[in-house]
């Protein structure tokens, strides 16, 4: 079993928490992993990405080679396209649809929709809307995390102990709403 | 998996040090090195270890050398350009040698993700004639530290551990040792001939260092971290160093023909192993993360007769930038897989100052104040505020190295530039800005130094600064700056007009003035809030 995924977003959006939770689930499943992340200057509102590789055998490179990623998992729709060269021809894009606009030349929504439409395999998720329905707009990232589960071969429960580790200090309610968000994202993705 | 830990390369190195009898860590923050120190710091109390941030890398190196002198195992952490600052004690510590095991953990930044250059620290190790370990993965970063300290003590030399961004900031599962070594006792002896580098002693120490070299090479050749695999029938040899080992191994798994393979992660260069792989190969591909060190040493001035050595110098691999699997595939004549979709032209999303950043308010005031001086020049420095160079602020014409904002402004002012404005953060000022300011104050140089006091080391993740608030003001005054020309600002939008006036009046003064905008970093406030 091998799964290479790129996580993308904008500095401050919290993609490192998503990668933490996937790595945690991978360890519990007896998988090896490597996860390369970005620190320092780029974290200040710039484009950030994380290369995440899961495998049941040894993983050499910390970076995913071009055309090899099974999945681009993005918390921001424009950022998907920065990493498209990594996606394998039969790979899938899963992204939140809410744009994060902090640059003057951000594409018009029609342009961006056109780019998204031409992707052969994609799951576009109104993560913010789903999070609001659940009752906490801050769990949008967790919805996206849940949507990655079918592609990674995980059940939604796979992230439960990781969520305990990450959010346990903030109380049972926060853990519970994040678990609900994982399941909501999972259901959206499973339908595809 | 039971017993496994999930650690960044930097954290694995920190844990490896702790488990190898470490007594202390010193250093100065700098991406990508910072988490080595921070990991040790997080365990310091539990493990009874000292973790002390230093004013700059030179100070940190010397503090660490002092701990080693006292018999204890110690590490000092810095980024590659930090080693330039610490070059004086570094070069001389190879002459004194060590007491307790001494490891310099230096993190290079190939591709310059967060740095001014991509200098390769392995050259520094060679320059100082000391061993260098270059872990290829997180497990090695952990495992190597025992060998590093042992080698340091046995051979009486400091040892460099060279990390690179990609390993420093990549997480993987590692298996720690069950056996944790105790700390070493305090040393009792005196050895003036070793530690006092007066010329008569230094000449002897230099000779001794030279005499150690064959043994250091022999140890590299026999190291468990260097490995040569000879494949019957192969004509191609591949030599990979450090993290490039991973890229090579990933591509070799797809390569149709047998290949001889030499992994190098301990230096000095294992000459015997290189001779062996060269003897049995027609072509040798050298894959290195960093400069072509091994490749250029192999070629010498004239190449190796009858052999073709290829790599970064021959254009088979890129001359600069981070190595990766794609580069290695191309260098070996393999195609690079492509995605099936056409790729649009995606606009860049560069980093920017955070919303609500105090620097932004200072820059807005500065821009209005200098409008009267179209010939102004701004000398910026290393930190978040370097981002002020970009629109909408465009505050900064120069940024070279830590502290250069002050010294270069002095030189430019002497040449006739007016107004010459330095922009420097509180931590960078303590690191290397104080020394030039002493000279500026003494000669009353016609410069305006703006020390952006956000009360912490922001860019590298909100480490504590050595001087902020009144303490910083008092330091500036004690360096000789006239208190009449030390002005404080509160960088908030509501104080904009007042701030423009203060800056305007100090720019008009023909002498050394220091303006200190004081407001805490909003990221730091968030971190503390958590």
């Amino acid at each position: 079993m091998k799964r290479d995924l790129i996580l993308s977003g904008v500095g401050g959006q919290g993609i490192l928490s998503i990668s933490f939770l996937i790595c945690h689930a991978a360890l519990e499943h007896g998988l090896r992993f490597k996860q390369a992340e970005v620190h320092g200057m780029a974290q200040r509102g710039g484009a950030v990405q994380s290369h995440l590789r899961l495998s049941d055998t040894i993983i050499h490179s910390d970076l995913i080679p071009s055309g090899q990623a099974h999945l681009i998992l993005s918390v921001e729709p424009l950022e998907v396209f920065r990493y498209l060269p990594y996606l394998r021809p039969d790979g899938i894009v899963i992204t939140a649809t809410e744009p994060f606009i902090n640059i003057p030349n951000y594409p018009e929504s029609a342009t961006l929709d056109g780019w998204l439409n031409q992707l052969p395999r994609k799951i576009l998720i109104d993560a913010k809307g789903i999070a609001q329905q659940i009752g906490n707009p801050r769990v949008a990232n967790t919805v996206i995390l849940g949507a990655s589960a079918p592609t990674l071969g995980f059940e939604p429960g796979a992230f439960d102990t990781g969520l305990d580790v990450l959010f346990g200090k903030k109380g049972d309610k926060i853990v519970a709403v994040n678990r609900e968000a994982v399941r909501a994202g999972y259901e959206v993705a499973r339908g595809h | 998996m039971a017993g496994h830990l999930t650690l960044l390369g930097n954290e694995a190195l920190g844990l490896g040090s702790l488990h190898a009898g470490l007594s202390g860590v010193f250093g100065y923050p700098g991406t990508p090195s910072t988490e080595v120190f921070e990991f040790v710091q997080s365990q310091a109390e539990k493990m009874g270890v000292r973790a002390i941030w230093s004013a700059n890398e030179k100070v940190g190196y010397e503090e660490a050398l002092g701990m080693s002198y006292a018999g204890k195992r110690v590490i000092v952490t810095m980024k590659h350009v930090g080693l330039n600052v610490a070059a004086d004690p570094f070069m001389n510590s190879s002459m004194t040698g060590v007491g307790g095991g001494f490891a310099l953990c230096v993190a290079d930044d190939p591709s310059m993700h967060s740095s001014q250059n991509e200098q390769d620290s392995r050259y520094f190790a060679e320059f100082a004639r000391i061993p260098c370990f270059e872990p290829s993965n997180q497990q090695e970063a952990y495992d190597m530290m025992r060998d590093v300290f042992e080698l340091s003590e046995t051979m009486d030399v400091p040892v460099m551990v060279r990390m690179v961004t990609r390993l420093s900031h990549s997480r993987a599962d590692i298996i720690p040792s069950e056996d944790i070594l105790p700390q070493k006792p305090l040393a009792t002896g005196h050895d003036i001939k070793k530690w006092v580098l007066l010329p008569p002693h230094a000449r002897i120490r230099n000779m001794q260092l030279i005499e150690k070299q064959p043994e250091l090479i022999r140890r590299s050749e026999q190291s468990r971290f260097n490995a040569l695999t000879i494949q019957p029938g192969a004509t191609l040899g591949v030599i990979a160093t450090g993290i490039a080992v991973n890229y090579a191994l990933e591509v070799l798994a797809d390569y149709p023909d047998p290949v001889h393979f030499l992994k190098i992660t301990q230096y000095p260069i294992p000459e015997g192993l290189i001779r062996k792989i060269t003897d049995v190969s027609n072509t040798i591909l050298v894959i290195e993360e960093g400069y072509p060190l091994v490749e250029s040493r192999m070629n010498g001035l004239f190449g190796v007769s009858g052999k073709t050595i290829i790599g970064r110098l021959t254009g088979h691999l890129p001359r600069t930038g981070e190595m990766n699997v794609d580069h290695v595939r191309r260098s070996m004549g393999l195609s690079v897989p492509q995605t099936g979709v056409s790729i649009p032209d995606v606009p860049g999303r560069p980093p920017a100052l955070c919303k609500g950043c105090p620097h932004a308010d200072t820059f807005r005031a500065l821009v209005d104040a200098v409008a009267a001086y179209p010939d102004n020049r701004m000398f910026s420095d290393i930190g978040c505020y370097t981002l002020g160079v970009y629109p909408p602020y465009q505050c900064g014409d120069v940024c070279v190295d830590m502290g250069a904002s002050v010294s270069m402004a002095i030189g430019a002012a002497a040449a006739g530039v007016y107004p010459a404005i330095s922009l420097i953060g509180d931590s960078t000022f303590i690191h290397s800005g104080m020394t030039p300011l002493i000279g500026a104050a003494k000669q009353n140089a016609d410069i305006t130094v703006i020390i952006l006091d956000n009360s912490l080391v922001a860019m590298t993740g909100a480490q504590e600064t050595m001087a902020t608030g009144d303490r910083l003001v008092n330091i500036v005054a004690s360096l000789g700056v006239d208190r009449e020309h030390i002005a404080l600002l509160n960088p908030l939008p509501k104080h904009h007009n007042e701030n423009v006036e203060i800056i305007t009046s100090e720019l008009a003064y023909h002498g050394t003035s220091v303006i200190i905008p004081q407001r805490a970093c909003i990221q730091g406030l968030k971190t503390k809030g958590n």
Side-chain angles (χ1 to χ4, degrees), chain A residues 41-108:
Chain A
M41 186 181 257
Q43 284 177 301
R44 302 274 174 264
V48 292
Q49 96 290 358
S50 166
H51 288 225
L52 182 44
R53 314 191 79 185
L54 314 178
S55 174
D56 50 11
T57 57
I58 188 166
I59 303 161
H60 292 299
S61 171
D62 298 82
L63 293 173
I64 298 167
S66 291
Q68 299 267 324
H70 299 85
L71 168 63
I72 294 177
L73 186 66
S74 190
V75 297
E76 205 282 341
L78 175 64
E79 290 308 310
V80 165
F81 297 92
R82 210 178 296 288
Y83 310 103
L84 215 47
Y86 291 104
L87 191 67
R88 54 202 300 148
D90 61 348
I92 186 166
V93 169
I94 301 177
T95 182
T97 48
E98 171 91 0
F100 186 103
I101 303 176
N102 65 345
I103 47 173
N105 50 344
Y106 194 95
E108 299 291 325

Side-chain angles (χ1 to χ4, degrees), chain A residues 27 31-35 37 39 41 44 46-47 53 60-62 66 76 79 82 87 100 102 115 118, chain B residues 1 6 35 138 166 169-171 173 246-247 250 326 339 341-342 344 346-349 351-352 458-459:
Chain A
L27 263 188
L31 297 171
R32 312 292 307 268
F33 72 87
K34 280 194 172 179
Q35 182 237 321
E37 57 195 47
H39 291 210
M41 186 181 257
R44 302 274 174 264
R53 314 191 79 185
H60 292 299
S61 171
D62 298 82
S66 291
E76 205 282 341
E79 290 308 310
R82 210 178 296 288
L87 191 67
F100 186 103
N102 65 345
W115 292 355
Q118 57 120 25
Chain B
M1 282 178 275
T6 298
E35 300 80 8
Q138 293 78 356
R166 201 51 69 184
H169 293 162
S170 175
R171 229 175 268 279
D173 51 309
N246 301 334
Y247 307 131
E250 187 146 331
D326 293 353
T339 190
V341 201
S342 67
V346 185
R349 186 159 358 214
M459 182 68 95

Side-chain angles (χ1 to χ4, degrees), chain B residues 84-405:
Chain B
N84 300 336
V85 178
D88 196 0
F90 169 70
M91 291 302 293
N92 291 310
S93 67
S94 71
M95 301 283 284
T96 60
V98 305
F102 182 108
L104 160 65
C105 302
V106 56
D108 291 359
D109 191 15
S111 277
M112 297 168 264
H113 297 281
S114 298
S115 310
Q116 317 92 297
N117 75 27
E118 59 171 12
Q119 68 188 62
D120 185 332
S121 296
R122 294 177 301 163
Y123 282 80
F124 252 131
E126 202 180 75
F127 191 24
R129 298 169 290 190
I130 62 161
C132 170
F133 285 62
E134 195 190 7
S136 66
N137 59 42
Q138 293 78 356
Q139 185 71 53
E140 273 188 347
Y142 174 86
D143 292 338
M144 279 178 169
M145 292 313 295
R146 281 166 204 250
D147 296 60
V148 163
F149 286 135
E150 247 177 63
L151 184 66
S152 171
E153 286 162 5
T154 314
M155 296 303 296
D156 190 18
V157 283
V159 174
M160 175 187 289
V161 182
R162 182 211 186 208
M163 298 291 282
V164 292
T165 305
R166 201 51 69 184
L167 180 58
S168 288
H169 293 162
S170 175
R171 229 175 268 279
D173 51 309
I174 71 142
I175 305 168
S177 166
E178 282 171 16
D179 158 43
I180 296 174
L181 302 181
Q183 292 186 32
K184 309 212 37 152
L186 202 60
T188 49
H190 298 266
D191 190 349
I192 290 172
K193 287 184 177 167
K194 169 175 158 64
W195 285 101
V196 180
L197 289 178
L198 278 166
H201 301 166
R203 288 182 202 114
I204 294 167
R205 290 299 296 173
N206 194 35
M207 209 54 228
Q208 289 170 340
L209 181 60
I210 290 167
E211 285 163 359
K212 286 173 199 169
Q213 298 305 307
E215 177 60 15
L216 292 176
I217 293 169
R218 196 188 66 79
R219 283 171 183 262
S220 278
E221 287 166 351
Q222 294 179 356
S223 165
R224 65 185 173 122
F225 298 113
N226 293 336
L228 174 63
T229 318
I230 301 287
Q231 295 285 359
T235 56
L236 173 66
V238 171
I239 298 176
T241 66
I243 197 169
V245 167
N246 301 334
Y247 307 131
L249 289 175
E250 187 146 331
V251 176
L252 289 181
D254 277 357
Y255 195 69
D257 303 322
V259 174
H260 306 302
F261 185 64
L262 173 57
K263 169 194 185 228
I264 300 178
T265 50
Q266 183 179 332
Y267 305 77
I269 293 174
E271 293 171 8
L273 298 179
I274 292 196
R275 194 169 297 119
K276 277 186 194 159
I277 194 170
T278 306
D279 283 346
V280 296
S281 309
N282 298 334
T283 301
I284 302 104
L285 168 66
V286 190
I287 310 168
E288 298 176 79
E289 184 67 295
Y291 292 6
L293 170 69
V294 173
E295 186 186 353
S296 59
R297 292 293 178 273
M298 284 177 71
N299 272 309
L301 281 178
F302 306 113
V304 181
S305 165
K307 307 287 178 183
T308 308
I309 297 164
I310 59 174
R312 286 193 188 266
L313 289 174
T314 56
H316 290 80
L317 291 165
R319 187 66 180 77
T320 168
E322 218 178 353
M323 194 51 61
N324 63 36
V325 166
D326 293 353
H327 294 323
V328 176
R329 286 186 72 90
R330 284 190 201 99
S331 75
M332 297 186 69
L334 297 175
S335 66
V336 172
Q338 302 287 316
T339 190
V341 201
S342 67
I343 294 155
D345 191 14
V346 185
R349 186 159 358 214
L353 292 175
C354 306
K355 209 173 161 193
C357 173
H359 300 334
D361 290 306
T362 299
F363 290 148
R364 280 185 209 108
L366 179 59
V367 165
D368 284 358
V370 297
Y373 301 100
D375 293 334
N376 79 81
R377 289 290 182 277
M378 295 186 197
F379 299 85
S380 191
D381 221 305
I382 310 286
C384 287
Y385 47 93
T386 320
L387 295 171
V389 166
Y390 295 123
Y393 317 107
Q394 292 177 286
C395 289
D397 300 293
V398 173
C399 173
V400 181
D401 68 276
M402 298 282 283
S405 57

Side-chain angles (χ1 to χ4, degrees), chain A residues 103-123:
Chain A
I103 47 173
N105 50 344
Y106 194 95
E108 299 291 325
S109 64
T111 309
L112 188 56
D113 287 347
W115 292 355
L116 289 166
N117 280 333
Q118 57 120 25
L119 296 171
R121 294 188 65 211
K122 72 257 178 193
I123 304 175

